Amino acid sequence: MDLFICTNVFIPLRSAPSHRSEMVSQVLFGERFHIIESAASWLRIETDFDSYRGWIDNSHGGYKRFSEPDPGIITGNQLVCVRTDGSRLSLSPGSELFNLQTDFSSFSIGEERYQIEGGNREKFTPSATLTETALMFLNIPYLWGGRTTGGIDCSGFLQVVCKIHGIAMPRDAARQAELGTMISFFGEAQPGDLIFFSGETENITHTGILLTMNKIIHASGTVRIDTIDHQGIWRDDAGRYTHRLRIIKRII
């Protein structure tokens, strides 16, 4: 099956072949995918990174056939680059680059070369901890299906932060909760642990990253910091618990 690569800032991934259908995820720059089927101007794809399926609008373009077998170099920060045609792209953290020059000045995808503005090693070096990386996303607006600094949802936030640290995570919170080592008691949790929550039912519907013993960073309205205890997330502005704690997992 042919492999393709995203060459735009991102490609929206939708639940059905229509712009009216919900955006369930995004394919970031440099992430690769397989085409499963087509319907008119739409393509059903499966992402190579997390095996997630959805529909993209073929008329948008922003991708090309790319058979490079090795993984890309994951950006740890926002990155601005210029194509050979002079157009500029602002790439979100978690994007992937190929054939990166040793001086961090440029990279290429096939015959296309990209010059990096202000390229240096720090752009590609993740923060020391998951919590430090997570704080880079603070105040980014919530967007269902989002995985970029333009908008992000709770499981997309967790997935991209982990990806920057070389940890491959599924796209959805319920599947993310299946990974890692179970922490049985809230008092044993540590900064960087992944916390999963439920709503009215016991199904996992939300996730975040523990910052300190009583603070969590998560995407809810925006990427924000709230109080957490053994019951769940307490929102001072709402005056109530908004998410019920279900599972604590240690991934590193």
Side-chain angles (χ1 to χ4, degrees), residues 108-123:
S108 63
I109 295 177
E111 300 300 317
E112 186 84 60
R113 181 153 294 279
Y114 300 77
Q115 294 295 132
I116 300 171
E117 294 187 355
N120 55 58
R121 184 180 297 275
E122 284 68 32
K123 293 285 186 181

Side-chain angles (χ1 to χ4, degrees), residues 229-243:
D229 60 24
H230 66 282
Q231 295 186 69
I233 296 175
W234 172 266
R235 288 273 295 265
D236 289 333
D237 55 350
R240 62 184 178 88
Y241 287 98
T242 56
H243 300 84

Side-chain angles (χ1 to χ4, degrees), residues 21-218:
S21 66
E22 67 177 351
M23 184 176 71
V24 293
S25 192
Q26 296 168 329
V27 186
L28 301 185
F29 182 94
E31 291 185 334
R32 291 170 288 180
F33 59 89
H34 302 279
I35 296 175
I36 301 171
E37 62 177 298
S38 61
S41 67
W42 290 83
L43 302 173
R44 188 167 183 250
I45 70 166
E46 179 176 285
T47 56
D48 190 56
F49 170 66
D50 57 7
S51 300
Y52 207 72
R53 293 189 175 191
W55 292 86
I56 65 173
D57 185 350
N58 189 33
S59 65
H60 280 172
Y63 70 92
K64 63 175 66 176
R65 187 175 278 104
F66 187 73
S67 58
E68 173 69 52
D70 297 324
I73 296 172
I74 300 169
T75 61
N77 294 278
Q78 195 83 14
L79 191 72
V80 177
C81 61
V82 182
R83 285 190 177 119
T84 50
D85 64 4
S87 58
R88 298 171 79 249
L89 295 174
S90 182
L91 308 183
S92 285
S95 298
E96 297 183 30
L97 314 183
F98 294 82
N99 305 307
L100 180 65
Q101 296 299 297
T102 55
D103 62 356
F104 305 98
S105 64
S106 66
F107 65 95
S108 63
I109 295 177
E111 300 300 317
E112 186 84 60
R113 181 153 294 279
Y114 300 77
Q115 294 295 132
I116 300 171
E117 294 187 355
N120 55 58
R121 184 180 297 275
E122 284 68 32
K123 293 285 186 181
F124 307 95
T125 304
S127 302
T129 65
L130 286 180
T131 55
E132 289 176 348
T133 299
L135 287 168
M136 294 194 312
F137 292 82
L138 195 62
N139 297 319
I140 288 173
Y142 182 92
L143 176 65
W144 179 269
R147 299 177 65 223
T148 74
T149 52
I152 202 163
D153 65 21
C154 66
S155 56
F157 168 62
L158 184 66
Q159 185 189 49
V160 171
V161 170
C162 288
K163 181 184 182 183
I164 291 170
H165 285 266
I167 304 166
M169 296 289 288
R171 180 61 179 88
D172 295 332
R175 289 197 57 215
Q176 292 171 350
E178 297 171 0
L179 276 63
T181 302
M182 181 76 74
I183 305 301
S184 300
F185 301 101
F186 182 75
E188 297 175 349
Q190 298 177 3
D193 285 347
L194 313 183
I195 317 293
F196 298 91
F197 305 87
S198 63
E200 297 300 321
T201 69
E202 294 187 357
N203 296 330
I204 299 298
T205 57
H206 191 66
T207 186
I209 300 171
L210 191 68
L211 283 179
T212 67
M213 276 309 298
N214 66 342
K215 294 294 180 182
I216 186 171
I217 184 168
H218 64 128

